[in-house]
Amino acid sequence: MTATFALPVPSASGSLEQYIQGVNSIPMLTAEEEHALATRFSEHQDLEAAKQLVLSHLRVVVSIARGYAGYGLPQADLIQEGNIGLMKAVKRFEPNRGVRLFSFAVHWIKAEIHEFILRNWRLVRVATTKPQRKLFFNLRSMKSGFSALTDKEAHRIASELGVKPEEVREMETRMSGQDIALMADEGDDEGFAPIDWLADSEHEPTRRLEKQAFDRLQSQGLIDALDALDPRSRRIVEARWLADDGGATLHELAAEFGVSAERIRQIEAKALQKMKAAIGTRDAALV
């Protein structure tokens, strides 16, 4: 007969300290209790059993989350993400593998916390590849001090983690950088924010005049190139490329001129080549 284990539920309200006290008051399950609950959930999708498995391991999440306090992110957020990893672990746990849930869940808890840190530690992600992630979560603890890495230290860390020394130095640079606000805080009247130094060169007066002149030259060049074509070639190019209704098809123009669609395609290709040469000659003369 399978027993039901009544476990206290920590309050969702209140301070983080109260939450931690609550989860620490929940007793850990024995191997037999854990196996019975995991079997109930695995074989019968018993959600109450899954709930008790999660509750009994919340203290594990708190313990793991404390190890990531140095990244400057709220401890409550780290615990919340770790809890998501714990629930994923419970869902995938197989009780007959001979492994305790604690050992199995550690990977899932850390994976969720790692992903959260990488998403939120900087506005620009500092680690996207597997070697970068390995460096991100190990470099700080492997450094001998707060000063910049020496060549010897960089090579040692690279050797231990199986990465290149230049990757170690790049990650050190990324981690030592700080996000800078683009705009100044409200009420800050001193100095300039980075946005004050940015200019939109596209709307600078001389640039706009140059662009307008260039557009006029391009338009005139197109008109001159069209004027150089014979009437039939011009009609085909205008109908195919300059019409507002999406352009005529080869077969429509073939019916209009009483020739094959292939002949229209040949005339079109020759006309476009002639126009391209005419525009290129005009542009060269203007330089």
Side-chain angles (χ1 to χ4, degrees):
M1 180 177 179
T2 303
T4 300
F5 310 108
L7 299 177
V9 181
S11 174
S13 61
S15 66
L16 178 61
E17 290 73 17
Q18 290 176 324
Y19 172 81
I20 293 174
Q21 289 177 5
V23 298
N24 286 337
S25 69
I26 302 174
M28 293 292 290
L29 299 170
T30 65
E32 293 75 16
E33 291 171 336
E34 179 180 292
H35 186 273
L37 289 168
T39 301
R40 279 169 48 191
F41 177 61
S42 177
E43 296 181 356
H44 306 291
Q45 296 300 300
D46 188 332
L47 296 182
E48 181 60 30
K51 175 183 175 182
Q52 294 183 58
L53 288 170
V54 170
L55 289 173
S56 65
H57 287 78
L58 290 177
R59 64 169 68 195
V60 177
V61 176
V62 171
S63 177
I64 293 175
R66 280 175 170 166
Y68 296 93
Y71 292 97
L73 295 172
Q75 190 73 13
D77 290 346
L78 295 174
I79 292 174
Q80 182 179 17
E81 294 299 318
N83 287 343
I84 294 174
L86 173 60
M87 288 185 282
K88 289 182 178 181
V90 169
K91 183 177 180 180
R92 293 166 173 79
F93 183 59
E94 298 180 14
N96 296 323
R97 290 279 186 176
V99 178
R100 292 297 301 270
L101 177 57
F102 170 87
S103 301
F104 180 75
V106 167
H107 163 75
W108 292 95
I109 296 169
K110 287 186 175 181
E112 290 297 321
I113 293 177
H114 285 185
E115 187 61 31
F116 174 76
I117 292 174
L118 292 174
R119 287 197 314 266
N120 296 277
W121 193 66
R122 288 284 187 270
L123 290 175
V124 179
R125 297 190 66 174
V126 296
T128 55
T129 66
K130 189 174 181 179
Q132 287 175 346
R133 288 170 179 254
K134 187 188 298 184
L135 275 168
F136 182 84
F137 288 107
N138 289 279
L139 182 57
R140 198 174 274 174
S141 61
M142 297 179 73
K143 290 180 63 174
S144 58
F146 295 103
S147 58
L149 287 172
T150 64
D151 288 338
K152 184 177 180 180
E153 285 181 312
H155 280 81
R156 174 182 61 79
I157 294 173
S159 176
E160 292 183 18
L161 296 180
V163 297
K164 299 177 181 178
E166 52 266 30
E167 292 177 323
V168 176
R169 290 199 172 281
E170 180 183 358
M171 181 55 64
E172 181 189 30
T173 302
R174 290 189 181 192
M175 294 180 68
S176 62
Q178 297 292 329
D179 291 330
I180 300 176
L182 183 62
M183 303 181 69
D185 295 333
E186 292 185 11
D188 185 6
D189 298 327
E190 299 181 3
F192 291 90
I195 196 170
D196 296 322
W197 301 96
L198 299 179
D200 185 0
S201 59
E202 186 66 24
H203 296 287
E204 196 271 328
T206 57
R207 291 286 300 275
R208 296 195 66 177
L209 290 173
E210 288 176 0
K211 186 178 186 303
Q212 291 173 0
F214 178 79
D215 291 342
R216 285 197 299 270
L217 290 174
Q218 289 292 92
S219 299
Q220 187 59 48
L222 177 60
I223 293 173
D224 292 345
L226 285 170
D227 288 342
L229 300 177
D230 62 85
R232 183 173 66 171
S233 297
R234 177 166 181 161
R235 162 64 184 154
I236 291 173
V237 170
E238 289 179 337
R240 291 277 288 161
W241 296 98
L242 302 178
D244 295 331
D245 58 359
T249 66
L250 294 175
H251 291 285
E252 290 173 342
L253 291 170
E256 178 181 335
F257 290 102
V259 296
S260 66
E262 175 59 24
R263 179 56 183 156
I264 295 296
R265 188 196 65 77
Q266 293 173 355
I267 295 173
E268 176 190 32
K270 186 175 181 180
L272 291 175
Q273 185 176 11
K274 185 176 181 180
M275 290 179 64
K276 182 178 179 181
I279 293 174
T281 301
R282 175 187 172 86
D283 289 346
L286 293 174
V287 175

